[in-house]
């Protein structure tokens, strides 16, 4: 599943990208714009069921190289425009770069209980009156806090994505 904050940055890049100039409506697009075969096509599906199509073309000739201007078109808008590649930082990422690194896709408030097996077995559950409480061990270690344990477990994140090829070498059994 995707990471909401990473995907938000991509959407911000697309939706908040400033326009540097408009090419008059009705004027033929410069050949170098290449919007019939764009370098990038983006289709944003909106809540109301409609969609917006954005096409990004080639570099604008003779433009300031620092601005990195490219041609763009947006469905429903009559004019071509120029925008800066500098404003589209997250557009060139691979789909996997937007992957969520959270170990659990559910939030802590969705959990009823947490069970940990390993060197020490621990089980906690949510009590409607007391909050998170220890079930196993029956007598919690001194200064142990079940709610902090639940929060810590739910916040676990991966540091990197590794090949899933040989799970045994990674110390993992079959899922």
């Amino acid at each position: 599943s995707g990471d909401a904050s990473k995907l938000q940055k991509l959407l911000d890049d697309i939706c908040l990208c400033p326009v540097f100039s408009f090419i008059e409506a009705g004027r033929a697009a410069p050949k170098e714009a290449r919007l019939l075969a764009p370098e990038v096509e983006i289709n944003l599906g909106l809540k109301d069921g409609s969609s917006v199509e954005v096409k990004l073309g080639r570099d604008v000739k003779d433009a300031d190289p620092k601005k990195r201007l490219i041609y763009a078109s947006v469905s429903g808008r009559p004019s071509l425009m120029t925008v800066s590649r500098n404003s589209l930082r997250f557009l060139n990422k691979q789909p996997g770069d937007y992957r969520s690194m959270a170990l659990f896709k559910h939030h802590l408030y969705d959990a009823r209980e947490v069970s940990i097996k390993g060197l020490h077995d621990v089980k906690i559950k949510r009590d409607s009156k007391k909050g998170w409480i220890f079930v196993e061990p029956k007598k919690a270690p001194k200064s142990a806090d079940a709610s902090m344990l639940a929060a810590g477990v739910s916040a676990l994140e991966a540091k990197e994505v590794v090949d899933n090829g040989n799970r045994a070498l990674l110390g993992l059994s079959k899922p």
Side-chain angles (χ1 to χ4, degrees):
S1 65
D3 181 300
S5 65
K6 293 176 184 177
L7 291 169
Q8 186 62 53
K9 289 176 183 176
L10 171 65
L11 290 172
D12 286 349
D13 272 6
I14 297 165
C15 296
L16 301 175
C17 182
V19 174
F20 279 80
S21 65
F22 290 95
I23 297 171
E24 293 176 36
R27 185 176 143 210
K31 288 180 184 177
E32 66 269 13
R34 297 269 176 108
L35 291 169
L36 293 177
E39 289 185 4
V40 176
E41 287 185 65
I42 304 160
N43 194 314
L44 296 172
L46 305 177
K47 285 182 181 179
D48 67 4
S50 65
S51 64
V52 176
E53 183 180 63
V54 177
K55 294 181 180 182
L56 302 176
R58 296 281 173 103
D59 295 338
V60 175
K61 281 187 178 180
D62 302 324
D64 180 352
K66 290 179 183 174
K67 290 184 180 177
R68 300 178 62 214
L69 296 180
I70 58 174
Y71 292 100
S73 70
V74 178
S75 61
R77 297 190 74 175
S79 302
L80 288 179
M81 56 201 77
T82 61
V83 299
S84 173
R85 286 186 195 274
N86 297 335
S87 298
L88 300 167
R89 301 176 316 258
F90 293 92
L91 197 58
N92 294 328
K93 293 189 176 285
Q94 297 296 317
D97 293 338
Y98 296 104
R99 177 184 297 168
S100 171
M101 298 300 271
L103 256 44
F104 301 105
K105 65 180 181 179
H106 300 286
H107 295 284
L108 181 59
Y109 54 79
D110 291 331
R112 281 190 341 258
E113 66 181 36
V114 176
S115 185
I116 303 169
K117 301 221 179 269
L119 184 59
H120 301 284
D121 293 350
V122 176
K123 186 173 184 178
I124 59 175
K125 75 174 187 176
R126 186 188 306 263
D127 180 275
S128 61
K129 294 179 183 165
K130 298 178 185 176
W132 287 99
I133 61 170
F134 281 92
V135 175
E136 191 178 311
K138 295 275 186 210
K139 185 170 167 100
K142 193 173 185 173
S143 75
D145 185 341
S147 62
M148 290 297 288
L149 176 60
V153 168
S154 69
L156 289 173
E157 286 192 356
K159 293 291 180 195
E160 65 179 297
V161 177
V162 295
D163 183 22
N164 196 11
N166 191 340
R167 298 177 64 82
L169 288 177
L170 299 174
L172 302 169
S173 60
K174 292 182 180 179

